[in-house]
Amino acid sequence: MLLTLILLTITGAHALSAADSGQKIEKAPTASRAEPLLVGIYYNNTLMDEGIIYLEENEYWIPFEPFLNRAGLNEENPQGTVASYSTNLGILSYDTTGLKEFEGEECISFKDLKAHFITAPSFNQELYAVMIDIGWRPGVKTKRAQEVPDIRAPAGTISSIGIEAHTDYDFKETANKTLLLESSGRALGGVWDITGTGDPEEKMIPAAYHWTSFNRNLAVRLGTGYSGSYSLIGSSYMTGVQFGWNNRSIIRQLDAQMGYSSDIFLGFEGSQLRTLEGSGPPASIAELRFDGEVVARQRVPLDGKFAFQNVRMDVDLRKTEVYIYERSINENPIKVIDFSQSVSSRSLPEGEILIRGGAGLTGNILDPESGAERSTEAFTNVLYGLGRRVTIESAFQENATTGSPDLLSGAVLSIGNNWNAALYGARSNSHYGADFRLDATYTTWDASYWGTLHEGGYGSDSAVKNQNHSFRWTVRPMRELTLQAIGRLQTQADTRQLSYLLPAAALSPSSWLRLTATPHDDRSYRYETNLRLGRNDRLRGIYDYDVLSVDYLHNVSKALNVRLYNDYAFNTGDTVTNLGVDWYPGRSSSDIIATVLSCSGGSYGISGSWSRNINTGLRLAMEYSFNMNNATNLTTQTSASVNGSTESRKSIALTLSWDLGWSNRGFIPINRNEVTLTRGALAGSIAIDNEAALSSSDINNIPIFLNGRRMQQRQIKGDFFLGRLQPGIYRVSVDQENLPIELVTEKKEITVEIKNGAVTGMKIPVFAEYGASGFVSGRNGEGLAEAMVSITGGNGAAAKAMTNQFGYYRIDGLRSGTYTAAVESVKGISTESTLKREFRIKNDYVFDIDLKAETP
């Protein structure tokens, strides 16, 4: 295999960095050997923070100051480096010399948290979060007065409206039109949403609709959803009522639900089809990979959030990752996010109980085509954290196909710190099935096994006996080399369908070369070579199913990328050659023009597309294609998609996506996926509120601060949007240092209220202010020191300044308008000005406003 890989290198191939071999989350290299991790931080099972922690030599370090703030600890009577904190358990003392600084921030280790602060910190791999359990309370209670925000969250019933319209036309028949409408809001103490889709000229079908209400322990949902408890007993689509109850807090399960339009109710349901969501710099590239193979790419919108919809997560043991590139896939990824599944996803802390259930009718009752014969559906399942390492589960589900109940029971086990297992058994249609999963994670190796067994007749009378076993063992003897053993055994009706145990390898001898070999289920191999040629060139070669693909990418500049890719089929001798050009007019990350030229068998084709993010909520894409059916691997990477048939030689497509949020400021641009059941959003604008020579383009990308923390979200032409905010009151401010010098804000901070399922709108007024300066002279023209100069305006504005020892003065903070300058006193003695000056400020500073006064 390695020989074949080396031959592919000679042929030439595509380059990705050595960082593509990826950890859980990788960022740009730091000065220390610590690995920065972007994680959530839970306090007593409630998500309270999201931030950077550090992993150094198998020890986790978290920021110390935020921990003290969240724990409510105040330092008392410091004795040198030893700090003391009062709790209901007594005084906790800590020697702060144990802190370590990472990237300018002092951090405390898990070890010291356990020893000195009597907490139980742990790292939850499934949530990719730090879990800190605190069993004490701060000793001194301070009663905080309820803060009254400057801007309250809206009380209206509509929060957002989303429109996605698509049409394509092949110049032969009528255009194909599709319209997706999503709307959401708050009503009757809960949050509602409706999603409709279809041809607006024919019919629009409500595809999903929900109303959900919850408190700390109980959540209730009316509408569409899935009845599935575990993959072993399947899942049915239904319309009815669902509930969830947790003896501690149901918020964590609700917080993981995938946006409004998702039929996923609680977080642990999402093991089959999931939406992979995350964040990255605006206009960066998110690349979805399965076992290192690129399966999808998308450009991160201006709100900094990406989403890969309906990704199947439980069909095998593959590694599922998203690579984030800042501008081009020629660069090293700025981070790698690991979405791979783990058997520990259903684990609960010790003593926690989660009960979920529901009842209704199968299918979507508002869609006549979703089920001609409807039947009742009922289910319930219970999960209980029996111990720190054991979670047990049982479930009941009415099987509409067999008319008999499905029963499930099982347990999830944490075997030490590195091993996890899950064992489930089920009964369906009077037959039995079993499911066993096991995984281990170590520094240099990991292993996973998944086995299922179904008796004949399990689930339905027509089902045959089925066994399926998947195995994967990965070892990393060195940073540059990853070796795998991948196995699969599948039998149906005692007939072997699949049977293999094959090696796989990934070799990165340098940062510019990577070689991989991965087997398919039919025992054939996919070979890939990535070669980076400097900073601006990448070559990739892939040999798979007797087709050799060679892909060359060159970054001409930050505004222009060129790609040449060729496919050759050895069996038929067919060749398809494509030349693609991506252009960012004016280097604007929100504007992309892509063109592809194709040649195959003497036939030529062309495709061109233009996509633009007009603002946070409005996106537009257009595409034209001529004779491009032979370009099977064509990817123009826009949201437009042409549905041309094999006979079609010409087609044109248009896609428009428009998200609007309804707030106390009316309709404003938002990203509707960022307004969720448990979280709200803030949509605002920086507005120049008086006459100024500046325009909205002069305040592009001014950083926004939330509670003093700089947000990743950029504001475009003054507009900004911050989503997925927990309910509460926030302090919002603008980075004063990056505002144009003549712009100021009247208030340093504005407090706003955020509610779940709602969009709060705000306006941050900024004012253009200038200044006036001049010289105050006496009877003989000499400069007068300590002369008080007053400036008054027709609008009542007034300002004063004292001259320096040479007689010069300057007054700032004046807005455009007409003013009068006069001398009030000299060295504290009132005097009459022999000359008053009237002057006008118009979008600029004024000078030489000179005055004369009598010398006392």
Side-chain angles (χ1 to χ4, degrees):
M1 289 184 296
L2 292 178
L3 178 60
T4 308
L5 289 170
I6 295 172
L7 292 175
L8 276 174
T9 307
I10 299 174
T11 307
H14 166 114
L16 292 172
S17 77
D20 291 2
S21 59
Q23 303 293 322
K24 289 288 179 185
I25 294 185
E26 296 181 355
K27 298 184 73 69
T30 60
S32 71
R33 298 179 60 186
E35 180 185 9
L37 309 174
L38 177 61
V39 301
I41 303 178
Y42 287 77
Y43 289 85
N44 293 339
N45 296 314
T46 301
L47 180 62
M48 303 292 287
D49 278 319
E50 292 176 349
I52 300 293
I53 69 168
Y54 300 89
L55 176 60
E56 184 181 53
E57 296 180 352
N58 296 322
E59 179 65 75
Y60 291 98
W61 297 77
I62 71 169
F64 184 55
E65 194 67 30
F67 164 74
L68 295 179
N69 293 336
R70 288 299 186 187
L73 296 176
N74 295 309
E75 185 176 345
E76 301 175 0
N77 303 320
Q79 302 293 327
T81 61
V82 178
S84 299
Y85 308 92
S86 293
T87 73
N88 62 331
L89 298 181
I91 301 296
L92 301 179
S93 299
Y94 177 60
D95 189 342
T96 55
T97 58
L99 299 175
K100 182 176 286 191
E101 188 172 294
F102 297 93
E103 298 181 336
E105 186 163 26
E106 289 186 326
C107 297
I108 185 171
S109 66
F110 273 16
K111 179 181 178 182
D112 283 354
L113 283 175
K114 294 177 184 178
H116 300 283
F117 288 92
I118 316 177
T119 64
S122 62
F123 191 86
N124 188 308
Q125 195 68 43
E126 176 63 23
L127 292 175
Y128 212 74
V130 170
M131 315 296 289
I132 300 177
D133 293 327
I134 300 176
W136 41 257
R137 297 187 305 274
V140 180
K141 295 184 178 180
T142 57
K143 187 175 181 180
R144 295 182 58 187
Q146 187 173 3
E147 187 175 2
V148 178
D150 299 321
I151 302 173
R152 289 191 175 275
T157 57
I158 297 179
S159 296
S160 68
I161 296 177
I163 303 171
E164 290 187 10
H166 173 79
T167 182
D168 59 75
Y169 178 58
D170 63 3
F171 296 92
K172 289 184 178 181
E173 301 177 355
T174 58
N176 298 312
K177 298 180 291 296
T178 303
L179 181 66
L180 172 67
L181 289 176
E182 286 187 358
S183 185
S184 64
R186 296 169 56 90
L188 302 175
V191 177
W192 61 268
D193 68 278
I194 299 176
T195 300
T197 184
D199 187 335
E201 295 184 356
E202 297 180 3
K203 64 177 181 179
M204 295 288 293
I205 300 173
Y209 42 92
H210 317 99
W211 175 85
T212 309
S213 181
F214 65 92
N215 56 31
R216 179 176 176 81
N217 299 106
L218 178 66
V220 178
R221 166 172 281 195
L222 303 177
T224 56
Y226 289 96
S227 65
S229 300
Y230 191 78
S231 59
L232 194 59
I233 59 173
S235 179
S236 297
Y237 192 62
M238 56 166 280
T239 306
V241 59
Q242 297 182 69
F243 73 90
W245 179 84
N246 191 304
N247 65 329
R248 293 181 178 173
S249 174
I250 195 72
I251 305 301
R252 181 162 63 93
Q253 281 81 26
L254 289 174
D255 202 41
Q257 64 101 28
M258 309 301 173
Y260 270 127
S261 60
S262 173
D263 282 308
I264 301 299
F265 179 37
L266 299 179
F268 70 91
E269 298 177 68
S271 63
Q272 295 181 15
L273 290 178
R274 287 183 54 191
T275 298
L276 303 186
E277 299 176 306
S279 62
S284 60
I285 298 172
E287 183 179 76
L288 176 62
R289 296 186 175 197
F290 295 149
D291 281 340
E293 181 180 352
V294 179
V295 294
R297 286 195 188 105
Q298 62 177 243
R299 193 163 295 278
V300 178
L302 297 184
D303 53 35
K305 306 292 183 180
F306 68 82
F308 292 97
Q309 303 286 341
N310 296 326
V311 180
R312 183 165 291 280
M313 299 296 292
D314 68 343
V315 294
D316 52 33
L317 303 178
R318 65 193 176 187
K319 195 174 185 66
T320 305
E321 299 170 308
V322 174
Y323 283 57
I324 304 296
Y325 303 91
E326 186 170 15
R327 182 79 182 197
S328 166
I329 56 177
N330 270 351
E331 306 165 351
N332 289 332
I334 56 176
K335 65 179 177 180
V336 178
I337 308 174
D338 193 339
F339 289 98
S340 302
Q341 290 291 89
S342 169
V343 298
S344 62
S345 62
R346 304 176 82 82
S347 296
L348 295 180
E350 182 177 359
E352 184 170 322
I353 303 173
L354 179 62
I355 302 175
R356 172 179 170 261
L361 297 176
T362 56
N364 179 356
I365 62 174
L366 298 184
D367 182 6
E369 298 179 359
S370 69
E373 297 182 3
R374 303 200 184 278
S375 59
T376 58
E377 183 77 33
F379 66 95
T380 184
N381 64 308
V382 180
L383 290 89
Y384 173 56
L386 183 63
R388 189 167 63 92
R389 298 186 180 277
V390 181
T391 298
I392 59 175
E393 179 176 2
S394 62
F396 160 89
Q397 178 175 300
E398 185 68 25
N399 191 321
T401 303
T402 64
S404 61
D406 292 342
L407 303 176
L408 171 81
S409 63
V412 179
L413 312 173
S414 175
I415 310 170
N417 296 324
N418 303 97
W419 290 81
N420 292 289
L423 175 62
Y424 281 83
R427 183 177 185 270
S428 177
N429 194 31
S430 300
H431 294 276
Y432 294 91
D435 182 298
F436 178 67
R437 306 190 192 196
L438 179 70
D439 63 35
T441 303
Y442 286 87
T443 304
T444 58
W445 67 272
D446 56 73
S448 299
Y449 166 79
W450 182 13
T452 59
L453 172 64
H454 295 168
E455 285 187 330
Y458 177 83
S460 67
D461 293 335
S462 60
V464 299
K465 182 180 179 182
N466 180 59
Q467 288 188 58
N468 200 334
H469 303 271
S470 299
F471 169 77
R472 174 168 300 200
W473 178 63
T474 303
V475 60
R476 292 169 290 275
M478 60 184 70
R479 181 185 178 92
E480 297 80 11
L481 179 63
T482 299
L483 301 174
Q484 288 185 315
I486 300 175
R488 184 86 182 272
L489 173 63
Q490 182 180 4
T491 63
Q492 290 184 353
D494 295 323
T495 302
R496 185 171 296 182
Q497 305 292 321
L498 288 173
S499 176
Y500 65 85
L501 179 62
L502 297 171
L507 176 64
S508 300
S510 68
S511 61
W512 48 268
L513 177 63
R514 179 174 169 81
L515 313 168
T516 63
T518 308
H520 296 301
D521 280 346
D522 61 1
R523 306 176 70 91
S524 65
Y525 270 82
R526 180 183 188 273
Y527 301 97
E528 180 173 341
T529 304
N530 295 292
L531 182 64
R532 190 183 303 279
L533 308 170
R535 291 191 57 184
N536 299 316
D537 296 271
R538 185 210 66 193
L539 189 65
R540 180 176 68 172
I542 299 174
Y543 181 77
D544 194 16
Y545 291 116
D546 293 325
V547 175
L548 177 64
S549 301
V550 179
D551 186 344
Y552 171 71
L553 177 66
H554 174 63
N555 294 342
V556 179
S557 66
K558 282 188 173 292
L560 188 65
N561 297 330
V562 177
R563 182 183 179 196
L564 178 66
Y565 42 108
N566 182 89
D567 290 345
Y568 176 75
F570 287 92
N571 291 339
T572 63
D574 292 335
T575 302
V576 179
T577 304
N578 298 289
L579 174 66
V581 178
D582 293 340
W583 176 40
Y584 304 85
R587 295 189 176 185
S588 171
S589 58
S590 62
D591 208 355
I592 306 171
I593 297 175
T595 302
V596 177
L597 300 175
S598 178
C599 174
S600 177
S603 298
Y604 296 88
I606 185 171
S607 175
S609 66
W610 172 56
S611 62
R612 179 173 175 80
N613 288 318
I614 298 174
N615 56 39
T616 298
L618 184 57
R619 299 171 291 277
L620 175 70
M622 295 186 294
E623 186 175 54
Y624 171 78
S625 176
F626 173 73
N627 200 28
M628 286 297 290
N629 297 296
N630 52 6
T632 56
N633 61 351
L634 169 65
T635 304
T636 54
Q637 297 187 22
T638 71
S639 57
S641 177
V642 178
N643 296 328
S645 65
T646 55
E647 294 82 15
S648 173
R649 291 177 58 84
K650 292 190 297 181
S651 60
I652 190 169
L654 172 67
T655 298
L656 174 69
S657 178
W658 198 6
D659 292 354
L660 293 171
W662 177 259
S663 74
N664 40 6
R665 293 183 54 223
F667 281 111
I668 45 183
I670 67 166
N671 178 353
R672 67 184 185 275
N673 294 321
E674 296 300 297
V675 186
T676 71
L677 178 64
T678 58
R679 304 197 178 204
L682 174 65
S685 64
I686 304 174
I688 303 175
D689 249 21
N690 64 335
E691 181 183 356
L694 301 172
S695 66
S696 58
S697 61
D698 293 307
I699 53 175
N700 268 352
N701 303 324
I702 303 299
I704 304 296
F705 289 89
L706 207 63
N707 292 344
R709 178 184 175 187
R710 179 171 175 168
M711 294 291 97
Q712 185 184 45
Q713 164 67 39
R714 302 186 307 178
Q715 54 84 15
I716 304 298
K717 296 185 177 180
D719 295 327
F720 62 89
F721 176 79
L722 301 171
R724 300 202 178 231
L725 299 177
Q726 294 183 11
I729 295 177
Y730 292 81
R731 295 174 288 107
V732 183
S733 57
V734 178
D735 187 354
Q736 303 279 351
E737 295 183 359
N738 281 296
L739 280 172
I741 190 172
E742 56 266 53
L743 293 182
V744 297
T745 59
E746 285 190 332
K747 295 185 67 174
K748 183 179 179 180
E749 293 181 331
I750 300 175
T751 56
V752 298
E753 180 187 28
I754 300 296
K755 287 184 178 180
N756 61 300
V759 179
T760 302
M762 71 173 301
K763 176 182 176 182
I764 303 178
V766 293
F767 301 90
E769 294 185 351
Y770 306 94
S773 62
F775 177 72
V776 178
S777 61
R779 181 182 307 165
N780 300 319
E782 72 280 12
L784 295 181
E786 298 183 45
M788 179 64 71
V789 178
S790 68
I791 292 181
T792 57
N795 58 359
K800 295 183 180 181
M802 187 82 72
T803 59
N804 62 15
Q805 61 180 327
F806 304 108
Y808 291 97
Y809 73 92
R810 172 173 172 165
I811 295 180
D812 292 315
L814 302 177
R815 301 174 186 177
S816 294
T818 301
Y819 296 88
T820 299
V823 178
E824 286 189 353
S825 64
V826 177
K827 295 186 177 180
I829 302 175
S830 298
T831 183
E832 289 286 337
S833 292
T834 56
L835 175 64
K836 291 184 177 182
R837 289 284 304 274
E838 185 176 277
F839 62 94
R840 178 173 175 77
I841 291 179
K842 186 175 176 61
N843 303 331
D844 204 354
Y845 292 85
V846 295
F847 307 94
D848 300 327
I849 308 301
D850 297 337
L851 301 170
K852 289 186 178 182
E854 292 292 335
T855 305

